[in-house]
Amino acid sequence: MLGMLLFCVAVSIVPAPTFMRAVETTAVAGWTGARDRTLDMVAKGRTRLDQLGSRADAASPVAADAGADTVLAGDYAPADDRTRTQSGTVSFVGADIRLEVGGALNTRPDRLASSEAVAVHGVTWAEAFEIPAGIQVEIRQASGVAPSLCSGGRIGRLALVQTTRTVMILPIRAPARSGEPETLCPVLHLEKRR
């Protein structure tokens, strides 16, 4: 009530143009201050996000060059001797995976998981692939024959970690009998052929 009384007194004493200029100046100063504080908060937030992003890129070199639209297709050469022996060159054609040493698997999507999720027997995907936490792992259902993988056992699923130039495949042997657990097999390390 007192504020309203003071407002009425101010309006009656101060000429209208002067009063309006004072109100306008106060409003503009308030708006400018709010805008400056907002821009400052946005700049600090952007700097913080850049710091977190660069830290994440440094911490996860496996997926640092992965693109959101990367499609797994074409021929990939073995990146180590074990992969050369077990698979040779691997060709990705649609949902099919063909091994140079013999065998082909037809796959279909199962799910996506984070590398810190448990894969099998309490082992995380990060431990199985030897990659940092926070990396996306693609899990696919698999059928077909690939005798060189998993000691000739039937492969039930595959887990894949993909970057722009590399792919790691973790075959998972299906249980031989009902009630038995799945078994993780050695990881294949592949590089995109140029």
Side-chain angles (χ1 to χ4, degrees), residues 75 87-94 96-105:
D75 295 334
S87 69
T89 298
V90 175
S91 299
F92 294 90
V93 181
D96 293 333
I97 300 174
R98 298 181 186 137
L99 309 176
E100 178 184 26
V101 298
L105 297 169

Side-chain angles (χ1 to χ4, degrees), residues 22-108:
V23 170
E24 180 183 7
T25 303
T26 304
V28 169
W31 180 84
T32 303
R35 181 197 64 198
D36 292 345
R37 284 189 301 278
T38 302
L39 290 174
D40 186 48
M41 286 189 296
V42 168
K44 285 180 182 177
R46 191 171 286 149
T47 300
R48 180 71 176 137
L49 286 174
D50 290 344
Q51 290 170 346
L52 290 173
S54 64
R55 219 178 304 150
D57 290 345
S60 52
V62 173
D65 62 346
D69 295 331
T70 304
V71 175
L72 189 53
D75 295 334
Y76 284 75
D80 59 32
D81 289 334
R82 186 170 35 78
T83 302
R84 188 171 291 103
T85 302
Q86 289 185 334
S87 69
T89 298
V90 175
S91 299
F92 294 90
V93 181
D96 293 333
I97 300 174
R98 298 181 186 137
L99 309 176
E100 178 184 26
V101 298
L105 297 169
N106 182 273
T107 66
R108 67 180 187 280

Side-chain angles (χ1 to χ4, degrees), residues 135-165:
I135 303 296
Q136 179 176 293
V137 178
E138 177 185 357
I139 296 115
R140 296 183 181 184
Q141 295 293 325
S143 60
V145 177
S148 61
L149 304 179
C150 291
S151 304
R154 186 177 68 81
I155 297 174
R157 297 188 301 156
L158 297 173
L160 298 98
V161 172
Q162 176 185 2
T163 67
T164 304
R165 303 266 346 132

